[in-house]
Structure formats: structure tokens, C-alpha cells
Amino acid sequence: MNLKIRTRLILAFVVLIGLMSFVYYLGAANTFVLNERIDFIVFESSQKLLLSSQLAEDAQFITKREKDLILTKDKATLQELVGEVDQRLIAMNDRLEELKSVEDEGGREDVAVFEERWNDYLKVFKKIRNLAVTVNTDSSKAEAYELSTTTARETAAAAIEQAYSRVKNNKKELLEVSDDSDIIYADGKNMMLAALVTGILVALVMSTWIIVSIVNSINQANKAVQSISAGDLTVAIEVKNKDEVGTLLLNLKSMVEKLKDVIGSVTTAADNIASASQQMSGSSQQMSEGATEQAASAEEVSSSMEEMAANIQQNTDNAQQTEKIALQAAEDVQEGSKAVNQTVDSMKKIAEKITIIGEIARQTNLLALNAAVEAARAGEHGKGFAVVAAEVRRLAERSQLAANEINELSSTSVAIADKSGKLLEQIVPNIQKTARLVQEITAASLEQNAGAEQVNGAIQQLNQIIQQNAASAEEMASGSEELYSQADQLKDTVSFFNIGHQNQSRTSSSKKRKSVPVVHLNGNSSRISKKAATAKTGLQLELNGHDSMDSDFEKL
Amino acid sequence: MSKVAEQTINSFLSFKLDRETFGVNVNKVIEILEVPHITKIPKSPAFMRGVINLRGTVLPVVDARLKFGLKEIADSVNTCIIVFNIQVAKEQVMVGALVDAVQEVFDMDESQLMPPPSIGGKFRTDFIRGMARNEDDFVMMLDVDKIFASEEIINLQQEVEAVKA
């Protein structure tokens, strides 16, 4: 029976409700009958019994009062008694009428007999009353007494007897009704019991059926859930039933499939994260090392800069000194130039004087020559004079030669001095220019010094930043280590789930990867992840495959 | 002075023209002068520099360089005028010659003179009486009378006359 639990339960409940309705119907029918009986008892039998017994009592009361009337002489008391009797009679009439209306055929006959007898008594009673009350004499009383003890007693007894027989009848009737209802009650009880037993049986059967089927299905599901909770996702879930639990199992099956997928993905992702974090760790360690090197370099640069600053400072000092020296030199050179000019003047004067001497020497030479000519012409007599003239001429020639030499020397000296003077004059602006340039150099050096200090400050800042970077890189390294361990933990955690042979191979590959740092050479992480997702056998690095990005790299 | 006396004097005055050294017998030399102001004579030949006033007499001055066919150069401090006494047609005439420099008076025998080279040479050989060796240099001995040829001298005389007139 491939019914749904709901259907089964509804069916069971419908059956049970039907049974219950049936039981209720039985109960209601019984109680209706019993109710009728009770109504009958309460409104008829008991009424009859009560009215008949009251009638009997009334009759007895009236007879008692008859005696009292006879015995009493006091008029007031008599009147009182009469009143009581009248009242009782009226009530008795009412009761009688009521009883008549209530009683059935047989009863009514009995009541009619009673009425007849009572009317007989009442005739006697009227006589007695007349005698006892209206006449009220001893004789009348005696007569009344006579009546009372004879006819009155007989009729009254007959009436009372009749009343009591009626009471007896009514009692008997009541007992009959009670017996009837007892039977009805027993019948109803039995039927209800039978219905109850049937219901219980049906309920037991149905509940057993339902419970067994539900428990079976749930046990199956429970087994599956138990093995899933133990981490075994390879459990084969068979769906036998098409009920809710069957649907639950079906859903559980798809959940297991999904879980397999998810856990596979998670494992792959964890592997990827582990490898990426390792890479990151390596990179950040490299970065940290690089930053440390950078810091060292920056330190070196800083010290170099300080040296440079010192050098620049020295340069500045030197340049300042040089400037002073250059200015001094310019002054000196100017003085030197003046001196040279003076020298030139002096030389020129000397040259002039020497020219005079030269002139004199030349003239002397001419004179000597003339004298020699004269002497030669004089012949033998002029010989001595000729010798003197030749000697004079030679002296004059020598003086002229010397004068010429001096002249030449002085003229070259003048030229040289003039040149040096000019050069010195040229040097002055050069030196002044040099001084100015040196001044500029000083200013530039000062600026350089400030610049070097700024650079130094910047390098210090750079150093700090680099150190921060190094710290950050180290933190990053430790963070990625942490990430790696987290990924490992994640893998461990996920390896709790057994999703078949892929899981084992993945864990082994991940273990392998632990020893060998993953180097990502293909350059296409998305492709790898896609491949990993599709293959589900962990990362397979294609190192020999040619990629479009491979061309960008040189093969080592 | 007589011709004999002339022969007996063996003293020579050497002077320079361009690079060459020339010599003349002191017999012919009257005196040596510094170059004074020379008065130019119009329409005179190129070698005729002009006349100067020599102690009241008019003395014609000849540029020896031009006369010897050398290039004319500006006068220097060494430029002198040698006053020669030349004989033209038995007549003694005074002529001044501008030379580059006067050197010395030296003695030498006529016998030591060597004859001038017959072929080639810069100068007309009839001016030259002979070559003498003075130390390392050769000195060309000039015949002053022949240098100043008659017609030239006549011209000179005429010019002098004209100036005088």
C-alpha cells in the first residue's frame, strides 16, 4: 500500500471518527430512550404515585379530622377544623382531577372507583359534619360518632384501601418501568462496549500499521542520516516508499549529492587557498626580505647622504674660502697689473735712454770712421791716429751693439710686460667672475645642503615606511601561514566527509603539495580552478603545455 | 792729390748694400755723413735722390741701391752718405752715395786682389776692380770713377748747375 502517511492517518482518523460517531449514536439513542423513561418516571409514574399517596394521606387526614370534629366542642376550634377540612377537600379535588388527567386507562378506573367510594364517604362525612358542627349537641355528636364508627369507617376504609391499592399499582408500574430501563441500559451498554472494542481493535490495527510503516521508513532515513552524520557520504539511499519519508529520503539523497559537490568544491577551494596562501607566504616573505634590504639600502643611502651633506658643507666652506682668496687674488692681480704697467713705463723710459746711447754710439762710430778715413789718407803719418780711430770705432761699435741688444731686450721685455699687464688685466675680470661663480657655488652648495637634509629626512621617512612595509609583509606572511593552516584545518575538517575515492586522492595530493610549494606557471588561475572544479581530482599543473602567455616568458 | 799718392794708399772703406759688402779706396772718400734732409730735384733720374747742403756746397746724392739695380728700401739709422771725390774728365767732382751701412777701414795690398769673375755675376764687371777676401766674406772692390759714368755725371753736373742757377 503506497499511501501517504497523511492519507493513512486521515483514513485511520476517519475510521475512528466513524466508530466514535457510531458509539455516540448508540449512546445517544440509549440515553434518549432512558431519558424518555426517566421523563415518564418523573412526570407520570412518580406524579401518579405521589398524587395517589397524597390522596390516601388526604383521605386519612379527613377521617382524622372527622373524629376531631366529633370530639371537639369548642366552636372556634370547630370552625378552624372545618376550614382546614374544606381547604383539604379543595386540594383533594384538584389532586383528583390531576390524577385523572395523568392516569392511564386502568388507573382511571381505579381512580373512578376511589372517587365513587370517596363520594360515599363524603356523604357520610357531610352528615357527620352537620351533626358535629352545625347541630353540635351531645346527641348529635353521639349520632355523629355512631355514623363515624359505622358507615363512615366502612366507606372511608374502602376509599383509603382503593387509594392505597392505586398507590400500590403505581409503585408496581414504577418498578416495571425501572426494569424496562434496566434492560435498555444493559443493551445500550453492551452495544457500546462492542463498538468500543471494535474501535479499539480497529485503532490498534491501524495504528500498528501506520506506526510500522512510518517507523520502517524513518529507520531507513535514520540509517542514512546516521551514516551522513558519521561523515560517510557514499551511503546508497534506496527510496522504497513514496510517502513523506520517501520524499525526505529523496531530498536527503539529493542533499548528499549536493553535499558531495559542495565538499568537493570546498576541498578544492581549500587546496587552492592552501597553495595560494603558501605562494602568498613566500611572496610576502620575499617582500619582507626585499623590504629589509630596502631598509638597509635606505640606511646606506641615508649615511651616504649624510656624508654627502658633510662634503657639501665642506664644499661650501671651501667655496667661501676660495671666494675670499679669489677676491684677494683679484686685488693682488690688479696691483700686479699696476706694477707691470709701471714696469712697462720704466722699461720704455730705459729704452728711450738706451736709444740715445745707441745714437751716440752710432755717431761716435761715424766719427771714428771719418777719423780712420782721414788717418788712412794721411798715410804713414796717420797710422797711429788710424789705430786709435779703429779702437774708438770698435768701442763705439760694441757700445752700439750693446745698446742695440739692450734695446731689443727692453723692447721684448716691454712687449712681454705689456702682454703680462694685459693678461693680468684680463685675469682680473676672470678672477672676479670666478669669485662670483664661487659665490654662486657657495649658494648652490648651501641649497644643496638643505636639499641633502631634506633628502635625508625623506629617506628617514622612507626607511620608516620600508620598515613598516617589512613588518606588514611579515605580518602578511604569518597571516598567510595562518591562512594555510586554516585551509589545512578546513581540509582536515572536510575530510571527515567520505565522498568516495576522489577524496582520498585529493588528500594525498594535498599532502604532496605540502612538501612542494606550488608554483603557478600556467598564468590562468581561473582556468585551473575551472579544471579543478570539473575534474575534481585536485590541481593538475600543466607545465609542458603551451600557453599564450608562455610566449612572454623565456624558457630556462 | 797725385795719382802716385793715390796708388800708394792701400786702405779701403767697406760698406754694405743689401747683403753684399763692397769696398772703396779711402783715397776716393772724403767723409761719411749721417743722412740729413735731402732736397728732391724734380725730373731727375730715379737713382738721383736729390741734393744736400754740405757746409755751404751743394752735394748731389745718388742712391747706390738703385744705381746698382737693387730694390729701394726705406732709410734706416745705419743708412749713411759716403762723400766721394771722383774724377770726371780731369775734373774733381764730389758725389754723395747712399749706402745701407758703413763698416770699417781696412788695409790690403793691391796684389791680394783677385780678378772679378768674367762670366755671370750680378753686376757689370767693369765697375769692379777685383775681389778681396776679408775674413770669411768676399769684398767687392769698386772703381768709383767708373761707376759714375761720364754722361751720368754730366747730367748730374747739369742738374747741380740748374740748382745752383
Side-chain angles (χ1 to χ4, degrees):
Chain A
M1 284 247 294
N2 265 328
L3 288 178
K4 294 201 165 182
I5 292 170
R6 188 177 58 184
T7 325
R8 281 182 228 174
L9 284 173
I10 286 167
L11 196 70
F13 278 116
V14 163
V15 168
L16 283 177
I17 285 164
L19 280 169
M20 270 168 70
S21 306
F22 181 60
V23 168
Y24 167 75
Y25 167 71
L26 286 179
N30 265 333
T31 35
F32 179 70
V33 173
L34 286 174
N35 191 35
E36 272 188 344
R37 296 285 160 183
I38 286 163
D39 277 355
F40 182 71
I41 289 164
V42 169
F43 293 110
E44 286 183 25
S45 302
S46 61
Q47 192 81 8
K48 279 189 241 171
L49 189 63
L50 187 71
L51 286 171
S52 53
S53 58
Q54 270 179 344
L55 274 176
E57 264 176 42
D58 286 340
Q60 275 182 333
F61 181 79
I62 298 291
T63 50
K64 264 186 195 166
R65 283 289 174 268
E66 176 210 48
K67 305 292 186 281
D68 288 338
L69 283 174
I70 296 162
L71 291 174
T72 312
K73 284 181 182 166
D74 184 38
K75 279 188 180 170
T77 314
L78 279 174
Q79 282 303 316
E80 201 178 313
L81 285 172
V82 169
E84 264 183 33
V85 168
D86 285 346
Q87 264 184 354
R88 204 60 181 254
L89 279 173
I90 293 161
M92 215 175 150
N93 266 330
D94 289 349
R95 277 188 194 114
L96 201 60
E97 289 303 314
E98 202 179 337
L99 190 61
K100 267 188 208 166
S101 68
V102 168
E103 280 288 7
D104 53 5
E105 204 72 24
R108 235 174 257 152
E109 278 175 20
D110 281 353
V111 171
V113 171
F114 170 74
E115 206 178 2
E116 198 180 320
R117 284 178 189 172
W118 183 252
N119 282 335
D120 289 346
Y121 170 71
L122 275 183
K123 282 172 196 162
V124 181
F125 177 70
K126 270 174 187 168
K127 279 176 192 167
I128 293 167
R129 195 174 69 176
N130 197 36
L131 289 172
V133 179
T134 355
V135 181
N136 203 9
T137 56
D138 286 342
S139 60
S140 65
K141 290 244 187 220
E143 196 183 347
Y145 180 73
E146 186 68 32
L147 275 173
S148 172
T149 50
T150 54
T151 43
R153 184 184 281 172
E154 282 166 14
T155 51
I160 287 165
E161 194 188 2
Q162 182 60 31
Y164 274 114
S165 80
R166 187 63 242 164
V167 167
K168 218 166 147 187
N169 278 340
N170 277 343
K171 265 185 186 169
K172 203 173 142 195
E173 205 177 42
L174 202 63
L175 277 174
E176 274 168 17
V177 168
S178 167
D179 285 349
D180 269 8
S181 61
D182 273 356
I183 288 158
I184 290 162
Y185 163 69
D187 283 358
K189 199 174 81 174
N190 286 339
M191 277 179 81
M192 275 176 80
L193 192 67
L196 187 69
V197 166
T198 319
I200 285 168
L201 281 174
V202 166
L204 272 174
V205 166
M206 287 195 83
S207 63
T208 311
W209 171 54
I210 288 166
I211 284 166
V212 164
S213 67
I214 289 173
V215 161
N216 275 345
S217 299
I218 283 177
N219 272 346
Q220 211 180 346
N222 199 23
K223 252 188 228 165
V225 168
Q226 212 167 16
S227 53
I228 290 162
S229 76
D232 185 13
L233 295 182
T234 55
V235 64
I237 296 165
E238 284 177 46
V239 184
K240 287 173 188 165
N241 298 323
K242 286 178 182 173
D243 57 4
E244 280 87 344
V245 178
T247 319
L248 176 74
L249 279 173
L250 215 66
N251 287 338
L252 198 68
K253 201 172 174 182
S254 71
M255 186 188 89
V256 164
E257 291 301 318
K258 291 263 169 68
L259 263 178
K260 269 188 197 173
D261 279 0
V262 166
I263 283 155
S265 301
V266 165
T267 312
T268 314
D271 278 346
N272 287 349
I273 288 167
S275 66
S277 64
Q278 257 185 340
Q279 249 182 291
M280 212 164 92
S281 165
S283 301
S284 50
Q285 256 163 359
Q286 269 185 321
M287 223 165 92
S288 159
E289 277 168 34
T292 314
E293 272 177 55
Q294 268 181 339
S297 300
E299 205 88 55
E300 271 179 57
V301 170
S302 169
S303 63
S304 299
M305 279 309 295
E306 264 165 42
E307 266 180 63
M308 215 169 96
N311 287 344
I312 288 164
Q313 185 60 49
Q314 211 178 342
N315 276 359
T316 315
D317 293 349
N318 287 349
Q320 276 170 339
Q321 237 173 319
T322 309
E323 189 203 337
K324 274 181 202 164
I325 290 164
L327 285 174
Q328 185 68 41
E331 272 177 39
D332 291 355
V333 164
Q334 259 171 334
E335 268 180 55
S337 175
K338 268 184 208 164
V340 166
N341 282 340
Q342 280 176 348
T343 309
V344 166
D345 287 349
S346 304
M347 291 281 226
K348 275 179 185 164
K349 271 179 196 166
I350 289 166
E352 275 171 33
K353 300 285 188 246
I354 293 292
T355 315
I356 293 163
I357 290 168
E359 190 69 18
I360 290 162
R362 202 171 49 77
Q363 282 176 356
T364 312
N365 191 21
L366 272 181
L367 286 173
L369 271 174
N370 278 320
V373 167
E374 285 299 322
R377 283 226 307 258
E380 281 299 315
H381 306 287
K383 277 266 186 197
F385 187 69
V387 171
V388 173
E391 208 59 37
V392 169
R393 197 193 63 84
R394 209 168 296 134
L395 282 172
E397 216 166 34
R398 273 175 64 191
S399 347
Q400 198 175 3
L401 220 71
N404 275 346
E405 274 175 33
I406 288 167
N407 218 353
E408 263 173 51
L409 279 176
S410 66
S411 65
T412 47
S413 299
V414 162
I416 287 164
D418 218 30
K419 205 176 168 188
S420 16
K422 274 177 189 160
L423 283 174
L424 281 174
E425 268 168 26
Q426 275 180 347
I427 284 167
V428 170
N430 281 344
I431 287 171
Q432 276 170 342
K433 200 177 174 186
T434 306
R436 212 169 52 242
L437 286 174
V438 166
Q439 224 167 3
E440 276 175 40
I441 287 169
T442 312
S445 289
L446 282 171
E447 270 180 55
Q448 249 183 2
N449 210 6
E453 266 169 42
Q454 274 184 334
V455 169
N456 215 3
I459 284 166
Q460 293 289 340
Q461 266 183 301
L462 188 73
N463 199 11
Q464 276 181 354
I465 288 159
I466 285 165
Q467 266 161 1
Q468 277 178 353
N469 276 0
S472 300
E474 232 148 305
E475 270 179 53
M476 213 164 96
S478 64
S480 51
E481 288 286 343
E482 179 65 25
L483 187 67
Y484 175 73
S485 68
Q486 291 283 334
D488 217 37
Q489 213 181 325
L490 182 65
K491 273 198 288 178
D492 279 354
T493 311
V494 168
S495 71
F496 169 72
F497 290 105
N498 178 19
I499 59 166
H501 66 283
Q502 298 121 323
N503 205 20
Q504 267 74 38
S505 73
R506 188 175 287 120
T507 51
S508 68
S509 73
S510 74
K511 259 167 200 167
K512 231 180 270 166
R513 203 170 292 125
K514 227 174 233 177
S515 56
V516 183
V518 179
V519 185
H520 179 250
L521 293 178
N522 234 346
N524 201 339
S525 60
S526 66
R527 215 177 74 173
I528 283 174
S529 62
K530 206 187 279 171
K531 197 177 278 172
T534 51
K536 288 194 178 177
T537 52
L539 279 182
Q540 285 186 340
L541 289 182
E542 266 185 53
L543 301 184
N544 295 323
H546 285 288
D547 200 69
S548 60
M549 292 182 85
D550 276 359
S551 56
D552 297 342
F553 298 97
E554 225 176 286
K555 200 146 194 172
L556 286 174
Chain B
M1 283 183 212
S2 65
K3 187 119 182 180
V4 181
E6 210 175 284
Q7 291 296 318
T8 53
I9 294 168
N10 290 324
S11 291
F12 296 89
L13 174 69
S14 64
F15 60 88
K16 280 219 143 188
L17 271 177
D18 207 9
R19 286 178 195 165
E20 264 58 59
T21 313
F22 296 90
V24 286
N25 199 307
V26 293
N27 205 19
K28 291 287 181 188
V29 178
I30 295 170
E31 62 177 317
I32 301 154
L33 297 172
E34 278 188 72
V35 182
H37 175 68
I38 298 172
T39 310
K40 272 268 190 190
I41 299 163
K43 289 194 172 177
S44 58
F47 63 84
M48 189 67 193
R49 285 287 289 268
V51 292
I52 59 168
N53 180 7
L54 178 67
R55 286 185 290 275
T57 62
V58 176
L59 181 74
V61 176
V62 173
D63 195 328
R65 279 177 154 270
L66 294 179
K67 183 70 192 164
F68 285 3
L70 295 171
K71 217 168 77 184
E72 189 181 4
I73 57 164
D75 293 346
S76 74
V77 284
N78 288 320
T79 308
C80 295
I81 296 171
I82 301 173
V83 183
F84 291 112
N85 180 30
I86 57 170
Q87 194 165 16
V88 184
K90 310 277 183 192
E91 202 176 337
Q92 298 288 324
V93 181
M94 286 212 293
V95 173
L98 265 171
V99 296
D100 286 357
V102 185
Q103 283 197 307
E104 61 180 332
V105 175
F106 64 96
D107 291 342
M108 196 176 62
D109 272 350
E110 288 277 335
S111 56
Q112 283 177 311
L113 277 177
M114 289 176 286
S118 52
I119 307 161
K122 268 182 176 174
F123 311 106
R124 277 158 59 186
T125 45
D126 53 334
F127 287 168
I128 299 166
R129 282 174 66 190
M131 307 282 280
R133 216 176 65 197
N134 183 22
E135 290 162 12
D136 291 338
D137 264 347
F138 276 108
V139 180
M140 283 174 276
M141 295 306 181
L142 297 174
D143 193 338
V144 182
D145 294 338
K146 282 183 181 168
I147 290 168
F148 301 101
S150 52
E151 45 186 312
E152 285 173 356
I153 295 300
I154 287 160
N155 285 345
L156 278 177
Q157 295 263 229
Q158 282 170 353
E159 272 161 31
V160 168
E161 292 303 312
V163 168
K164 272 181 185 171

